Short mmCIF file of all heavy atoms in Angstrom, two decimals:
data_model
loop_
_atom_site.label_atom_id
_atom_site.label_comp_id
_atom_site.label_asym_id
_atom_site.label_seq_id
_atom_site.Cartn_x
_atom_site.Cartn_y
_atom_site.Cartn_z
N GLN A 6 1.75 10.00 12.45
CA GLN A 6 2.76 11.02 12.18
C GLN A 6 3.92 10.41 11.39
O GLN A 6 4.16 9.21 11.48
CB GLN A 6 3.32 11.60 13.50
CG GLN A 6 2.29 11.98 14.52
CD GLN A 6 1.83 10.83 15.39
OE1 GLN A 6 1.82 9.68 14.97
NE2 GLN A 6 1.43 11.13 16.61
N PRO A 7 4.68 11.22 10.66
CA PRO A 7 5.84 10.68 9.94
C PRO A 7 6.95 10.33 10.93
O PRO A 7 6.97 10.83 12.06
CB PRO A 7 6.26 11.83 9.03
CG PRO A 7 5.77 13.07 9.71
CD PRO A 7 4.52 12.68 10.44
N PHE A 23 11.61 20.22 -3.18
CA PHE A 23 12.38 21.35 -3.76
C PHE A 23 13.17 20.99 -5.01
O PHE A 23 13.84 21.83 -5.58
CB PHE A 23 13.39 21.89 -2.72
CG PHE A 23 12.86 22.06 -1.34
CD1 PHE A 23 13.44 21.40 -0.27
CD2 PHE A 23 11.75 22.88 -1.09
CE1 PHE A 23 12.96 21.56 1.03
CE2 PHE A 23 11.26 23.04 0.20
CZ PHE A 23 11.87 22.38 1.26
N LEU A 31 22.84 16.39 0.91
CA LEU A 31 23.85 15.95 1.88
C LEU A 31 24.86 17.07 2.15
O LEU A 31 25.24 17.32 3.29
CB LEU A 31 24.57 14.69 1.38
CG LEU A 31 25.68 14.14 2.27
CD1 LEU A 31 25.21 13.91 3.70
CD2 LEU A 31 26.26 12.85 1.70
N ILE A 57 18.39 13.54 23.90
CA ILE A 57 18.68 14.79 23.17
C ILE A 57 17.95 15.98 23.82
O ILE A 57 18.28 17.13 23.54
CB ILE A 57 18.32 14.71 21.66
CG1 ILE A 57 16.80 14.54 21.45
CG2 ILE A 57 19.08 13.58 20.97
CD1 ILE A 57 16.34 14.65 20.00
N LEU A 80 4.66 21.87 23.43
CA LEU A 80 5.19 21.91 24.80
C LEU A 80 4.10 21.70 25.86
O LEU A 80 4.40 21.35 26.99
CB LEU A 80 5.94 23.22 25.05
CG LEU A 80 7.36 23.27 24.47
CD1 LEU A 80 7.88 24.69 24.41
CD2 LEU A 80 8.32 22.39 25.26
N ALA A 105 19.39 29.25 16.62
CA ALA A 105 18.76 30.04 15.55
C ALA A 105 19.75 30.29 14.42
O ALA A 105 20.88 30.73 14.66
CB ALA A 105 18.25 31.37 16.11
N ASP A 118 14.27 24.33 7.22
CA ASP A 118 12.84 24.39 7.53
C ASP A 118 12.22 22.99 7.45
O ASP A 118 11.41 22.60 8.30
CB ASP A 118 12.13 25.35 6.57
CG ASP A 118 10.67 25.57 6.95
OD1 ASP A 118 10.41 26.04 8.08
OD2 ASP A 118 9.79 25.26 6.13
N VAL A 133 -6.73 12.51 11.22
CA VAL A 133 -7.87 11.61 10.99
C VAL A 133 -8.38 11.84 9.57
O VAL A 133 -8.66 12.98 9.18
CB VAL A 133 -9.01 11.85 12.01
CG1 VAL A 133 -10.18 10.90 11.74
CG2 VAL A 133 -8.50 11.67 13.44
N ILE A 138 -16.34 4.81 -0.09
CA ILE A 138 -16.37 4.01 -1.33
C ILE A 138 -17.83 3.86 -1.75
O ILE A 138 -18.68 3.46 -0.94
CB ILE A 138 -15.73 2.63 -1.11
CG1 ILE A 138 -14.28 2.79 -0.63
CG2 ILE A 138 -15.76 1.80 -2.40
CD1 ILE A 138 -13.61 1.50 -0.19
N ILE A 141 -21.87 1.57 -7.47
CA ILE A 141 -22.99 1.99 -8.32
C ILE A 141 -23.40 0.80 -9.20
O ILE A 141 -22.58 0.30 -9.97
CB ILE A 141 -22.60 3.20 -9.19
CG1 ILE A 141 -22.15 4.36 -8.28
CG2 ILE A 141 -23.75 3.64 -10.09
CD1 ILE A 141 -21.30 5.38 -8.99
N GLU A 146 -24.01 -4.37 -13.46
CA GLU A 146 -22.57 -4.11 -13.63
C GLU A 146 -22.19 -3.13 -12.51
O GLU A 146 -22.80 -2.07 -12.40
CB GLU A 146 -22.32 -3.49 -15.01
CG GLU A 146 -20.88 -3.47 -15.42
CD GLU A 146 -20.32 -4.85 -15.76
OE1 GLU A 146 -20.90 -5.55 -16.62
OE2 GLU A 146 -19.31 -5.20 -15.13
N LYS A 158 -6.73 17.61 11.00
CA LYS A 158 -5.40 17.77 10.38
C LYS A 158 -4.26 17.23 11.25
O LYS A 158 -3.29 16.71 10.74
CB LYS A 158 -5.16 19.23 10.04
CG LYS A 158 -6.02 19.68 8.86
CD LYS A 158 -5.61 21.03 8.37
CE LYS A 158 -6.33 21.35 7.06
NZ LYS A 158 -6.01 22.68 6.55
N LEU A 162 -0.68 20.11 10.25
CA LEU A 162 -0.46 21.54 10.56
C LEU A 162 1.01 21.83 10.86
O LEU A 162 1.51 22.91 10.57
CB LEU A 162 -1.32 21.95 11.78
CG LEU A 162 -2.83 21.87 11.59
CD1 LEU A 162 -3.53 21.98 12.94
CD2 LEU A 162 -3.31 22.96 10.65
N PHE A 163 1.69 20.84 11.42
CA PHE A 163 3.09 21.03 11.82
C PHE A 163 4.06 20.77 10.67
O PHE A 163 5.18 21.27 10.67
CB PHE A 163 3.43 20.11 13.01
CG PHE A 163 2.64 20.45 14.24
CD1 PHE A 163 1.34 20.00 14.41
CD2 PHE A 163 3.20 21.24 15.23
CE1 PHE A 163 0.60 20.33 15.54
CE2 PHE A 163 2.47 21.58 16.36
CZ PHE A 163 1.17 21.12 16.51
N ALA A 165 3.22 21.40 7.44
CA ALA A 165 2.88 22.26 6.30
C ALA A 165 4.09 23.12 5.94
O ALA A 165 4.84 23.52 6.83
CB ALA A 165 1.69 23.14 6.66
N LYS A 183 -30.49 7.13 -6.49
CA LYS A 183 -30.37 7.00 -7.94
C LYS A 183 -29.30 7.97 -8.43
O LYS A 183 -29.24 9.12 -8.00
CB LYS A 183 -31.71 7.33 -8.62
CG LYS A 183 -32.82 6.33 -8.33
CD LYS A 183 -32.73 5.14 -9.30
CE LYS A 183 -33.94 4.22 -9.18
NZ LYS A 183 -33.97 3.42 -7.96
N ILE A 189 -21.30 8.72 -20.83
CA ILE A 189 -20.49 7.52 -20.62
C ILE A 189 -19.28 7.60 -21.55
O ILE A 189 -19.41 7.87 -22.75
CB ILE A 189 -21.31 6.25 -20.93
CG1 ILE A 189 -22.42 6.07 -19.87
CG2 ILE A 189 -20.40 5.00 -20.96
CD1 ILE A 189 -23.39 4.96 -20.15
N ILE A 207 16.20 6.16 -6.67
CA ILE A 207 17.24 5.14 -6.85
C ILE A 207 18.07 4.99 -5.57
O ILE A 207 18.55 3.91 -5.25
CB ILE A 207 18.14 5.43 -8.08
CG1 ILE A 207 18.86 4.15 -8.50
CG2 ILE A 207 19.13 6.55 -7.81
CD1 ILE A 207 19.47 4.19 -9.87
N LYS A 238 16.46 13.65 -15.58
CA LYS A 238 15.87 13.60 -14.23
C LYS A 238 15.13 12.29 -14.02
O LYS A 238 15.13 11.74 -12.93
CB LYS A 238 14.93 14.79 -14.02
CG LYS A 238 15.71 16.08 -13.73
CD LYS A 238 14.84 17.18 -13.20
CE LYS A 238 15.70 18.33 -12.71
NZ LYS A 238 14.91 19.50 -12.32
N GLU A 241 17.92 7.71 -17.32
CA GLU A 241 18.00 6.83 -18.48
C GLU A 241 19.46 6.44 -18.68
O GLU A 241 20.36 7.29 -18.57
CB GLU A 241 17.53 7.62 -19.70
CG GLU A 241 16.62 6.83 -20.59
CD GLU A 241 15.98 7.72 -21.67
OE1 GLU A 241 15.39 8.76 -21.33
OE2 GLU A 241 16.11 7.35 -22.83
N GLU A 254 29.52 -7.60 -18.15
CA GLU A 254 28.75 -8.85 -18.00
C GLU A 254 29.45 -9.99 -18.72
O GLU A 254 29.49 -11.12 -18.25
CB GLU A 254 27.33 -8.68 -18.57
CG GLU A 254 26.33 -8.22 -17.53
CD GLU A 254 24.95 -7.95 -18.13
OE1 GLU A 254 24.83 -7.85 -19.37
OE2 GLU A 254 23.99 -7.81 -17.36
N TYR A 268 27.73 -8.24 0.39
CA TYR A 268 28.47 -9.01 1.39
C TYR A 268 29.45 -8.09 2.13
O TYR A 268 29.48 -8.07 3.36
CB TYR A 268 29.22 -10.15 0.71
CG TYR A 268 30.25 -10.83 1.61
CD1 TYR A 268 29.86 -11.68 2.64
CD2 TYR A 268 31.62 -10.59 1.43
CE1 TYR A 268 30.79 -12.28 3.47
CE2 TYR A 268 32.56 -11.19 2.26
CZ TYR A 268 32.15 -12.02 3.28
OH TYR A 268 33.07 -12.62 4.11
N ILE A 298 40.60 -8.75 -10.93
CA ILE A 298 41.64 -8.11 -11.75
C ILE A 298 42.12 -9.04 -12.86
O ILE A 298 42.35 -8.60 -13.99
CB ILE A 298 42.82 -7.63 -10.85
CG1 ILE A 298 42.37 -6.42 -10.02
CG2 ILE A 298 44.05 -7.25 -11.69
CD1 ILE A 298 43.32 -6.00 -8.93
#
Side-chain angles (χ1 to χ4, degrees):
Q6 312 85 330
F23 316 122
L31 178 54
I57 65 171
L80 281 164
D118 186 59
V133 180
I138 302 171
I141 302 160
E146 193 71 55
K158 289 190 171 178
L162 296 167
F163 296 81
K183 293 276 189 287
I189 292 173
I207 199 165
K238 282 194 170 174
E241 224 170 307
E254 269 176 346
Y268 168 74
I298 289 170

